[in-house]
Amino acid sequence: MSGDRLPRPSVSALKARSQALIPRKKKLQILGDIEIGLRSLESNLRDGHPSSGSKVISISNPLQGVVEYGRLLEEVVRLLRHESLTSLGNILRSDALYLNGRNLDSLDISEQSGDIQSEEIEGIVARLTRLEEWLEV
Amino acid sequence: MGLAWRMPDSETSRGFFKFLPRDPQDGHTSPSAAEIRQLEDILLGKNSSTDLSSASELIRLRELQKDSILNDLSLCAIQALNGNNHLRCPPTPVLIQPRVADIIDRLLIAREKLFERLEG
């Protein structure tokens, strides 16, 4: 299939609706910037761990509830940062494949990091559920 | 210190969690981990359940920490596009899994309930 006829990824960081609308010189510039951007993302993902490793506490009074809310907030925001940057990286990779006229099936997304994140999400959900139960949400 | 600084009940996940795309702001500093730990130790060591001043201060610091991490996220997203005007950052709801979106909505509701509990 010609590169120009490959479907644009359903989620994309490209403003243009089709790569056919982008001149070749601009396309090369975008590909170069995506490569630089992916290196920057990898570095920023290494700098911010998705979990703070905070300890779980039992909640039996409002002060303990405040401490647990604060710890949970940090965990959730770290997860949000990690997930947003990981996803943005995957989108840029699929855009690069599309601009190169390659099929998106060749995109390699590591399942290992997804599994680690999945465990963290389950841990956060369990803690949030305990806080909600105490607050009678 | 009371809870007067808190945002109104109409605060949304989009605003509270500073959804992308968003321009980063200058001057965001994160409170120190030691400062947060010290306040946590004070609150966990108390028998009383009514130290509203320390509780309010801890929430304020934790939410400053949140804003600092999310400001860094905006900066990282902008760096990832390397200033190329043919690229734009997709919005947060597109970037995150539905279960993460559910967590942030639930945490915002829990926050409101926690404030009600502290004020009640």
Side-chain angles (χ1 to χ4, degrees):
Chain A
M1 185 188 288
S2 155
D4 286 351
R5 298 176 73 177
L6 278 171
R8 182 178 180 269
S10 58
V11 179
S12 172
L14 290 168
K15 286 183 185 172
R17 285 192 303 277
S18 165
Q19 62 150 320
L21 302 170
I22 307 171
R24 181 176 157 72
K25 196 176 167 187
K26 290 279 180 199
K27 208 181 283 185
L28 291 173
Q29 196 182 359
I30 297 170
L31 283 166
D33 284 332
I34 286 179
E35 199 180 317
I36 294 167
L38 286 172
R39 280 203 296 271
S40 153
L41 277 175
E42 281 166 19
S43 165
N44 285 320
L45 277 166
R46 273 196 303 272
D47 288 347
H49 194 271
S51 171
S52 68
S54 65
K55 289 180 185 168
V56 182
I57 55 166
S58 59
I59 311 168
S60 57
N61 67 47
L63 300 187
Q64 291 166 347
V66 167
V67 171
E68 180 60 0
Y69 163 74
R71 291 181 181 183
L72 208 41
L73 180 64
E74 182 182 0
E75 295 291 338
V76 169
V77 171
R78 281 176 183 270
L79 173 69
L80 181 60
R81 178 187 183 278
H82 187 82
E83 173 128 333
S84 300
L85 295 182
T86 302
S87 180
L88 180 57
N90 289 335
I91 290 166
L92 289 174
R93 280 187 202 93
S94 73
D95 282 338
L97 286 175
Y98 171 66
L99 289 173
N100 279 318
R102 289 171 57 195
N103 198 302
L104 301 184
D105 293 345
S106 56
L107 186 64
D108 175 32
I109 300 171
S110 167
E111 287 184 7
Q112 196 179 3
S113 64
D115 288 345
I116 293 166
Q117 209 161 313
S118 186
E119 279 177 27
E120 280 162 0
I121 292 173
E122 282 167 25
I124 287 172
V125 168
R127 288 174 71 171
L128 180 56
T129 302
R130 276 196 294 274
L131 180 62
E132 288 172 333
E133 283 169 359
W134 181 76
L135 289 167
E136 297 172 349
V137 173
Chain B
M1 186 194 299
L3 297 166
W5 52 267
R6 78 184 169 114
M7 282 162 287
D9 294 350
S10 57
E11 181 68 36
T12 61
S13 299
R14 179 177 295 274
F16 188 72
F17 288 100
K18 303 189 182 303
F19 279 12
L20 297 172
R22 173 181 292 258
D23 289 332
Q25 294 174 338
D26 293 332
H28 262 284
T29 51
S30 188
S32 75
E35 201 177 0
I36 287 173
R37 203 175 311 117
Q38 191 179 19
L39 267 174
E40 285 187 346
D41 288 345
I42 290 170
L43 293 177
L44 294 176
K46 285 199 180 278
N47 291 324
S48 160
S49 61
T50 55
D51 186 349
L52 189 60
S53 175
S54 298
S56 172
E57 179 61 5
L58 179 60
I59 294 172
R60 193 184 68 80
L61 292 184
R62 281 298 197 179
E63 295 190 353
L64 276 177
Q65 181 186 42
K66 165 199 67 110
D67 290 343
S68 172
I69 294 170
L70 294 175
N71 198 54
D72 174 67
L73 168 61
S74 303
L75 194 62
C76 294
I78 283 175
Q79 285 171 352
L81 305 180
N82 205 36
N84 192 303
N85 59 13
H86 290 274
L87 298 171
R88 66 176 159 217
C89 181
T92 293
V94 169
L95 295 174
I96 61 176
Q97 306 170 47
R99 59 181 179 161
V100 174
D102 181 56
I103 287 172
I104 64 176
D105 286 342
R106 285 170 59 185
L107 187 59
L108 199 55
I109 292 168
R111 175 184 186 267
E112 277 308 309
K113 288 282 179 189
L114 182 63
F115 280 128
E116 282 173 25
R117 190 66 74 93
L118 289 169
E119 287 169 333

